[in-house]
Amino acid sequence: MQLTPEEHAILKGKSGPAAQKALQILETLGRIYGAERMIPVSSVQISGVSYANLGDAGLEWLSEMAEGGGQACVFTTLNPAGMDIENYLQLGISEEFAVNQRRVLDAFQKMGVVTTCSCTPYLFGNLPRFGEQIAWAESSAVCYANAVLGARTNREGGPSALAAALTGRTPAYGYHLDENRLPTLHVRVEADIKNTPDFGALGKAIGDRIQTSSTGRVPYITGIDSASLEHLKSFCASIATFGGVALFHMPGVTPEAGSHSRPVEELALTQVDLDQAKTALTTASPDEIDFVSLGCPHLSLREIQRVATLLDGKRVTKEFWITTSRPVKGMADRMGYTAIIEAAGARFATDTCCVVAPIEGRFTAMATDSAKACYYAATKNKFKTSLLPFDDVVREATQ
Amino acid sequence: MTFSKSLSGRTIFPGTTRGTALVSRMGISFYGGVDPETGIITEPGHDLEGQSLAGRILVFPSGKGSTVGSYILYRLQKNGHAPTAIVNADCETITAVGCIIAEIPCVDQVDLSQIKTGVPLTVNADQGKITLH
């Protein structure tokens, strides 16, 4: 791997111990994956923020990097934390957890990382343009950035994303390079895909098949005519969760699709496959549901507006969490959506989500419109799940 | 010493150490699969289940699981229960980052079939060289 004189100097400690450690990480990853050089990145998204996942080990390391003079030199935002930073007690999070979670956020803030605490940085200011080289963690956002925006990133982990933030660099391999962005498998969809659970189930159907196949990991998906931002964010979360997919192309929908030709190798998916994926994600019987959740990935303002419309004048009968980012919540507050939703008895869990909050075993069964949320509810939190259309999830909460 | 044999590999993180091999033929998930306080492997059904990697030269094909696993190696190093070196067939991001932040010597691209549990080893990660004694 060719390093510049400046990179050699950073490796020798010229910019302090944190930058030195960061460049060691990047140089080693570059050697492992055969990169020829480092490239500059202009945007970073860091994962590994919840104290529930980091534990004392992660907290110690982040604190050491902050004390070692680590400073983000490109615009860097942060994944969801383990709690709503302002409203954690009402959500049943302990003071002890809160103290440690705040320490994690303090370390990031000290390093100049913007503590957005959201999986949807592209909704408020961290929005890379087509072709931009970036270093993002958070699998759903990685897939959204690569596929929907046409930016270029590998699937970074927490430490490698932080390393990119502190040096403004990443090794040039994988999805940064043209040759690795070519589609490898044509997925022909012959099913009616119209709402978020449909897109989520499609992500699972493709993801499950791609994971066990050796034909490649960049699907070229036909049969979808249109998709909203909310559809795509749900789809990206699902196909990344179930298949580890970091990039797909969808003619007529994603910006790079037109520059590639359709791969010969084909996988056809029918309505039966879609229905099977949905059935697999619905393990709860309707009378078992005691938890309702929307916001995986974090809700957009348009989705919160819809929740407010549906809940106006109603009363929820079950614990109902709406997970979103602080900036989006701020607009919901101004528009009066928050007041309507909270008057109905639902709760905002801002800055956090049901995947990373410490809620294991607290509920029996969760209703949601997100295939990704179903996966983590079952594997991490030991809940049964019910995958429903968005409006039906809200209705479930009031039944 | 009547017999010694050398294997060569690639430097992931430098350093030199001598110790006893603990060999797994399976992937290791440090997050969820290893107790961060004791270094005991807890993954049910793992071929090292119940054994401690503390103070051993840990030899296994490749890491797996969550990227949070890197922090577990760091935690083990801080509390004195880390392996003294790691030898892999194919080092991936989680193990590599863990070794860098915890400063554990690490070598990969090594023919692991030559190494058995209990064998005394010298790992010279600076030169990517493993010596079996």
Side-chain angles (χ1 to χ4, degrees):
Chain A
M1 189 167 179
Q2 280 297 114
L3 295 183
T4 63
E6 193 192 351
E7 286 158 359
H8 279 296
I10 296 171
L11 268 184
K12 288 192 181 109
K14 175 207 100 171
S15 305
Q20 181 181 27
K21 190 59 78 181
L23 204 62
Q24 277 178 355
I25 291 173
L26 299 175
E27 189 270 337
T28 306
L29 293 178
R31 278 194 292 120
I32 291 176
Y33 297 109
E36 289 176 3
R37 61 192 174 96
M38 299 281 178
I39 46 170
V41 293
S42 43
S43 156
V44 174
Q45 163 81 4
I46 297 178
S47 68
V49 182
S50 173
Y51 176 72
N53 292 338
L54 285 170
D56 292 333
L59 170 56
E60 266 179 59
W61 186 68
L62 292 169
S63 304
E64 191 177 289
M65 291 297 273
E67 282 153 24
Q71 270 304 311
C73 50
V74 293
F75 187 60
T76 302
T77 52
L78 208 55
N79 237 26
M83 64 180 201
D84 185 311
I85 291 147
E86 294 170 15
N87 188 32
Y88 57 92
L89 286 174
Q90 217 192 70
L91 298 167
I93 308 293
S94 73
E95 190 59 51
E96 187 195 351
F97 183 89
V99 166
N100 286 314
Q101 183 63 73
R102 277 197 216 98
R103 284 190 185 130
V104 171
L105 297 178
D106 288 348
F108 278 120
Q109 193 160 343
K110 197 172 170 186
M111 290 188 276
V113 174
V114 184
T115 55
T116 43
C117 301
S118 175
C119 51
T120 57
Y122 47 84
L123 290 182
F124 41 84
N126 197 352
L127 181 69
R129 61 180 161 69
F130 184 85
E132 193 167 339
Q133 300 286 4
I134 62 174
W136 279 22
E138 168 50 35
S139 64
S140 71
V142 165
C143 190
Y144 194 94
N146 272 324
V148 180
L149 304 177
R152 296 182 170 213
T153 178
N154 288 319
R155 273 169 65 113
E156 301 296 345
S160 63
L162 178 62
L166 301 186
T167 59
R169 292 165 164 84
T170 198
Y173 69 94
Y175 296 110
H176 293 289
L177 307 177
D178 289 342
E179 60 264 34
N180 300 315
R181 299 180 68 86
L182 298 174
T184 52
L185 173 71
H186 175 206
V187 178
R188 190 157 45 84
V189 181
E190 296 164 347
D192 197 13
I193 309 291
K194 56 182 188 305
N195 57 30
T196 43
D198 292 339
F199 275 92
L202 179 65
K204 175 172 162 58
I206 298 172
D208 284 349
R209 285 161 180 80
I210 270 195
Q211 203 181 27
T212 54
S213 143
S214 57
T215 50
R217 286 180 163 261
V218 183
Y220 182 94
I221 303 162
T222 60
I224 312 280
D225 299 329
S226 68
S228 68
L229 184 157
E230 288 79 6
H231 292 153
L232 290 165
K233 106 177 138 66
S234 187
F235 180 68
C236 287
S238 179
I239 198 168
T241 295
F242 292 99
V245 170
L247 169 64
F248 63 87
H249 303 294
M250 199 181 269
V253 176
T254 65
E256 239 174 275
S259 20
H260 300 298
S261 47
R262 202 163 70 191
V264 178
E265 179 101 33
E266 186 179 286
L267 168 72
L269 289 176
T270 64
Q271 193 64 46
V272 175
D273 299 314
L274 256 288
D275 292 344
Q276 273 175 357
K278 279 189 190 170
T279 306
L281 295 173
T282 299
T283 53
S285 60
D287 57 333
E288 285 180 303
I289 291 164
D290 58 352
F291 183 44
V292 178
S293 164
L294 286 171
C296 176
H298 274 168
L299 286 195
S300 67
L301 191 58
R302 177 158 52 184
E303 289 173 310
I304 292 178
Q305 192 179 45
R306 181 71 189 154
V307 175
T309 302
L310 292 168
L311 280 185
D312 197 2
K314 303 243 173 41
R315 225 20 238 175
V316 303
T317 57
K318 302 175 179 89
E319 185 82 9
F320 182 6
W321 284 20
I322 289 147
T323 55
T324 191
S325 60
R326 189 65 56 185
V328 167
K329 167 78 164 30
M331 281 313 301
D333 292 351
R334 175 183 289 181
M335 291 302 293
Y337 306 146
T338 306
I340 293 169
I341 289 166
E342 289 183 339
R347 299 178 202 273
F348 274 87
T350 314
D351 311 308
T352 186
C353 79
C354 295
V355 176
V356 297
I359 54 171
E360 184 184 333
R362 254 172 73 180
F363 304 102
T364 304
M366 181 181 86
T368 178
D369 74 327
S370 162
K372 174 179 179 173
C374 287
Y375 175 82
Y376 283 102
T379 56
K380 197 158 170 285
N381 292 326
K382 318 291 179 220
F383 304 157
K384 292 184 186 175
T385 56
S386 183
L387 181 69
L388 299 171
F390 191 91
D391 288 8
D392 293 356
V393 174
V394 181
R395 280 187 207 104
E396 181 62 49
T398 57
Q399 269 170 16
Chain B
M1 192 168 19
T2 55
F3 171 79
S4 83
K5 180 175 177 176
S6 283
L7 299 170
S8 63
R10 174 174 71 171
T11 306
I12 297 295
F13 190 80
T16 297
T17 187
R18 192 176 167 147
T20 312
L22 177 68
V23 183
S24 170
R25 303 298 169 201
M26 299 170 75
I28 292 180
S29 172
F30 291 99
Y31 180 68
V34 177
D35 184 327
E37 298 308 316
T38 62
I40 291 172
I41 289 152
T42 54
E43 183 180 330
H46 199 277
D47 64 1
L48 296 181
E49 185 183 356
Q51 299 199 55
S52 172
L53 47 76
R56 308 291 291 273
I57 292 174
L58 184 62
V59 180
F60 61 103
S62 194
K64 60 173 185 174
S66 165
T67 54
V68 179
S70 305
Y71 296 129
I72 303 299
L73 280 170
Y74 179 83
R75 180 76 180 161
L76 289 166
Q77 182 75 306
K78 288 276 161 176
N79 66 23
H81 289 91
T84 54
I86 286 180
V87 180
N88 281 166
D90 296 294
C91 192
E92 44 52 69
T93 303
I94 304 161
T95 308
V97 171
C99 287
I100 296 163
I101 67 179
E103 307 197 332
I104 297 169
C106 179
V107 177
D108 84 334
Q109 296 184 347
V110 175
D111 177 7
L112 305 187
S113 66
Q114 305 289 315
I115 312 175
K116 303 211 165 28
T117 290
V119 169
L121 300 178
T122 299
V123 175
N124 180 341
D126 300 6
Q127 294 172 16
K129 199 172 139 202
I130 318 283
T131 309
L132 291 77
H133 301 291

